[in-house]
Amino acid sequence: MANKGLQILGFALALIGLIGLIIGTILPQWKMSSYAGDNIITAIAMYEGLWMSCAFQSTGQIQCKVYDSILQLNGALQATRALMIVSIIVTVAGLGIACMGMKCTNCGGDDKTRKSRIAMAGGIVILIGSLSGIVACSWYAHDIIQAFYNPFTPVNTKYEFGSAIFIAWAGAFLAIIGGGMLAASCPREKSTPKYPISRPPSSKEYV
């Protein structure tokens, strides 16, 4: 049977990973203005996220603007948005399923084998959600790298990785580890010893 401590640790890691995914999705620092090359350092730092773009001034003032139209956004940003939302929803569903199958809970009945299978199913769902988050972050990072090394991109419009994308990456990896621990709750079938079938003595033997 699955170890109770392993299930609790996996659930805790997946929960922390979910928090990281949510924070990373909300924050606007997915990419920040680059000062590499001949780009002059200015008093304004530009950040762009999944939902808005912000300008941080050296005086401490912050000005953010929500994207006006979804159709004006590039394909990578739209795909990252969708995948991150799917990742959060699927991970939440996986945590709910795993919670019913954990040994430390009373949900899912008293059958330990059945509870272990429910926890394993929840871990698999968490793995699917966290993989969606990794794909989303990697896709967005690839788009940043392509634009950075594109010789036709103006120097003052080049961006580098922001802190939010690393938070989302870390959350997705933690969710993968936690989901893997929960998926390891697959119960092992006990091998039943096979004994020879003993037949009752027939009445002829007493004649």
Side-chain angles (χ1 to χ4, degrees), residues 150-166:
N150 189 355
F152 298 102
T153 302
V155 179
N156 57 352
T157 60
K158 289 187 176 182
Y159 287 88
E160 296 180 357
F161 296 154
S163 58
I165 192 171
F166 292 109

Side-chain angles (χ1 to χ4, degrees), residues 94-155:
L95 285 173
I97 297 172
C99 184
M100 292 188 296
M102 293 176 64
K103 284 185 174 182
C104 57
T105 60
N106 296 325
C107 303
D110 296 330
D111 190 355
K112 294 182 178 180
T113 303
R114 181 185 176 187
K115 284 176 69 70
S116 297
R117 288 175 180 172
I118 294 174
M120 180 190 66
I124 294 173
V125 174
I126 293 172
L127 286 175
I128 295 173
S130 54
L131 285 175
S132 300
I134 289 181
V135 171
C137 296
S138 302
W139 195 338
Y140 196 87
H142 177 70
D143 187 67
I144 295 174
I145 295 172
Q146 272 193 330
F148 185 85
Y149 289 107
N150 189 355
F152 298 102
T153 302
V155 179

